[in-house]
Amino acid sequence: TGGVSLFNLQLAKAHGARVIVTSSSDEKLARMTQLGADHGINYRRTPAWEKEVLSLTSGRGADVVLNTVGYAEMERCLLSCADNARLVHIGSGKAQAPFVALPNLMVRNVTLKGITVGSRRMFEDLMRAVVANRISPVIDRVFPFEQAVDAVRFFESSERVGKVVIEIA
């Protein structure tokens, strides 16, 4: 439910996708549903969330899986993929994880794409899509400049859904 995930939710919905999101918080899942997510899975209550993805897709799996968590969730992401899916890995995280499900990459013909920063052309294409679909960032809270320290603490907490803004008068 971080900034990258929220932005991708908006882009996916703008392109007519059915979106499944994960979070450890029912409150955040409710907020994501308000923002357009079709389904939410609490991964604390459902640790094998990839099986829930399969259930929600009638056993098919997801066509595109976005992993913003890191290597520790890569295996579950792969197991939630449909045949010929794309698994997009953004960021690495610090945790190392065994990758027992790697054969599924070939068996299911999944494309694994790592992303750090795109090209200028990709950015321009993205900005055209943002403008055409009237996508704007999700703002969780706005703090006055005098409360900048509180804003940083709130940003670092796991409570937020969206951006935290410090207003400069």
Side-chain angles (χ1 to χ4, degrees):
T1 54
V4 171
S5 297
L6 282 165
F7 195 62
N8 279 281
L9 166 64
Q10 292 174 300
L11 285 170
K13 293 308 290 184
H15 288 89
R18 183 171 149 215
V19 177
I20 302 169
V21 297
T22 63
S23 175
S24 63
S25 162
D26 289 335
E27 293 79 19
K28 286 184 177 183
L29 290 172
R31 181 74 175 116
M32 296 297 277
T33 301
Q34 290 173 345
L35 293 169
D38 297 283
H39 302 282
I41 302 169
N42 184 319
Y43 60 78
R44 294 231 170 132
R45 275 202 323 270
T46 310
W49 58 263
E50 72 281 7
K51 292 177 182 174
E52 184 66 16
V53 171
L54 293 174
S55 175
L56 290 168
T57 59
S58 302
R60 184 176 186 285
D63 293 317
V64 178
V65 176
L66 176 66
N67 178 14
T68 61
V69 176
Y71 297 124
E73 285 301 306
M74 184 71 87
E75 186 154 338
R76 292 191 193 286
C77 289
L78 178 56
L79 292 172
S80 70
C81 286
D83 290 347
N84 299 305
R86 273 182 286 160
L87 172 50
V88 181
H89 182 76
I90 300 176
S92 61
K94 293 184 173 135
Q96 296 297 316
F99 209 1
V100 178
L102 190 57
N104 285 282
L105 196 66
M106 304 240 337
V107 171
R108 291 186 178 166
N109 199 29
V110 172
T111 301
L112 175 59
K113 173 83 172 147
I115 295 182
T116 52
V117 177
S119 68
R120 178 183 175 123
R121 179 168 178 234
M122 292 167 87
F123 181 72
E124 290 170 350
D125 291 345
L126 174 63
M127 289 302 100
R128 277 192 288 281
V130 165
V131 170
N133 291 287
R134 297 185 177 139
I135 294 173
S136 59
V138 175
I139 307 295
D140 187 303
R141 285 185 56 190
V142 177
F143 289 82
F145 183 74
E146 297 76 30
Q147 295 177 5
V149 172
D150 294 332
V152 171
R153 284 189 189 119
F154 181 69
F155 177 81
E156 290 174 340
S157 77
S158 60
E159 297 174 33
R160 66 184 165 82
V161 175
K163 300 296 180 186
V164 176
V165 175
I166 299 174
E167 194 171 51
I168 300 174

